Amino acid sequence: MLVLGIDIGGAQIKAGMVDDQGAIVASRTIPTPADLDTFVPSLHDAVRWLLEATAVPAGVGIGCKGIINPDSTQVETLPGTLHYLQGLRLSDLVGMPLDVPVFADNDARVALAGEMVWGAAQGIENVVMLTLGVGVGGAVVANGHMLRGHAGVAGHLGHLTVEPEGALCFCGNQGCLETVFSARAIEGETWSAVHRGCSSSLTRLFREQPQLATCRTIFQAASEGDGLAEAIVSKAIHRLGAALAGLLHVFDPELVILGGHVADAGADLLVPLQEIVWARSRGLLGRDVPLVEQQVADKSGIVGAAGLVMAPRA
């Protein structure tokens, strides 16, 4: 059985046929068009190419940023460059020649759907997932069902307030989790410190090759003993740990999954984070909740989108 997975991103649209083992058997990547008139034929061309290269899929799963109504596949809210999709049904835009079921949801829930079918969340009824990237996304499975809430907003864990008088967030709130722990936040704080003249091994990199001064290089510098990087990374991890401990008390999950490219820091993130979360939560919970990395290795979003079809209960 094949399933078509589509990830609609701000820079690229990635589509692929996924088999029942979670392997991509054919894929296509195209630049994300700037307007709807170009978007529709571009997506249709990609889907047509995949159909010709493989076969008609058993279903279609679509991941997209914003607030998506999973029942209708309508894009309810989508700020930014893809705003032209707002108000439209993604199922109407795919251009499938045959009548096959189409599922859609936001990118964080899509990532968790993939983990439910092929990854760390298989057979687990209560899971919290954070996607740690340029921002912070989130998704929750409670008693075996994806939590969506009254208007589909539930699970936006990156907008949990951690500093009431903190930095402004694009959502309109202040001090959201993603303003203190995200690639953008960590890189921004490091750049600000370097710009002020703070001593760091990263100074030359930030000034001469700023495109290489990423969150990962900051974590690497911290692991190598750079004092500035250590202070910034430690502060960010403590904030994330405090937020996660609060989420454990709210959702009482069996497992926490961390995805996104910031989670690629591996043990440099997971080991201190686990210690902080344990210290803040075990008193009431009476147990340790494991923090694990995302197991679905595909970073394209294609496999996760396919998971929406394989696990329609999601």
Side-chain angles (χ1 to χ4, degrees):
M1 181 177 71
L2 293 179
V3 170
L4 174 57
I6 301 173
D7 177 78
I8 301 173
Q12 294 180 322
I13 298 173
K14 290 159 282 188
M17 291 294 189
V18 179
D19 67 18
D20 56 6
Q21 300 301 308
I24 299 175
V25 300
S27 65
R28 190 85 175 206
T29 299
I30 59 175
T32 302
D35 55 63
L36 185 63
D37 289 340
T38 311
F39 177 94
V40 173
S42 297
L43 180 59
H44 287 187
D45 286 345
V47 170
R48 188 179 306 112
W49 184 91
L50 288 166
L51 292 174
E52 292 173 354
T54 56
V56 176
V60 180
I62 306 173
C64 185
K65 292 185 180 299
I67 298 174
I68 314 296
N69 184 324
D71 296 322
S72 66
T73 76
Q74 180 166 306
V75 181
E76 304 289 358
T77 304
L78 183 55
T81 57
L82 286 168
H83 182 70
Y84 58 78
L85 296 179
Q86 188 166 301
L88 301 178
R89 290 161 51 107
L90 294 174
S91 57
D92 294 337
L93 305 180
V94 177
M96 289 296 295
L98 299 176
D99 184 20
V100 298
V102 179
F103 301 84
D105 216 326
N106 73 37
D107 49 357
R109 291 189 190 134
V110 160
L112 183 49
E115 293 297 310
M116 293 170 71
V117 180
W118 297 291
Q122 292 182 77
I124 299 179
E125 296 286 302
N126 296 278
V127 183
V128 168
M129 183 170 185
L130 288 174
T131 53
L132 308 171
V134 174
V136 176
V140 178
V141 170
N143 298 324
H145 297 281
M146 193 76 77
L147 191 64
R148 292 189 169 90
H150 172 68
V153 183
H156 280 71
L157 306 181
H159 298 288
L160 175 73
T161 301
V162 294
E163 290 189 344
E165 305 300 326
L168 288 171
C169 181
F170 79 89
C171 74
N173 190 14
Q174 284 181 258
C176 292
L177 175 58
E178 74 170 47
T179 69
V180 299
F181 191 98
S182 63
R184 184 188 289 121
I186 292 169
E187 291 162 6
E189 186 165 356
T190 306
W191 166 246
S192 178
V194 166
H195 189 63
R196 291 195 305 270
C198 297
S199 176
S200 172
S201 62
L202 293 166
T203 299
R204 184 174 179 179
L205 184 66
F206 265 82
R207 289 178 176 170
E208 297 181 4
Q209 296 178 289
Q211 73 278 7
L212 301 180
T214 64
C215 187
R216 186 69 194 99
T217 60
I218 297 167
F219 268 86
Q220 181 65 33
S223 71
E224 294 171 354
D226 181 89
L228 176 65
E230 282 183 325
I232 289 172
V233 166
S234 176
K235 182 180 178 182
I237 292 176
H238 273 80
R239 288 164 160 175
L240 176 60
L244 257 179
L247 292 172
L248 297 193
H249 290 125
V250 173
F251 296 112
D252 190 20
E254 302 160 69
L255 182 72
V256 173
I257 302 173
L258 301 179
H261 67 267
V262 178
D264 291 342
D268 291 340
L269 169 64
L270 287 174
V271 172
L273 183 63
Q274 185 83 75
E275 293 174 354
I276 294 164
V277 173
W278 282 353
R280 287 178 172 268
S281 64
R282 62 166 53 134
L284 183 60
L285 293 182
R287 59 186 173 84
D288 295 331
V289 178
L291 309 184
V292 303
E293 292 183 70
Q294 183 176 1
Q295 289 184 1
V296 174
D298 167 56
K299 300 294 185 183
S300 69
I302 292 173
V303 174
L308 289 177
V309 182
M310 298 292 198
R313 68 187 178 90

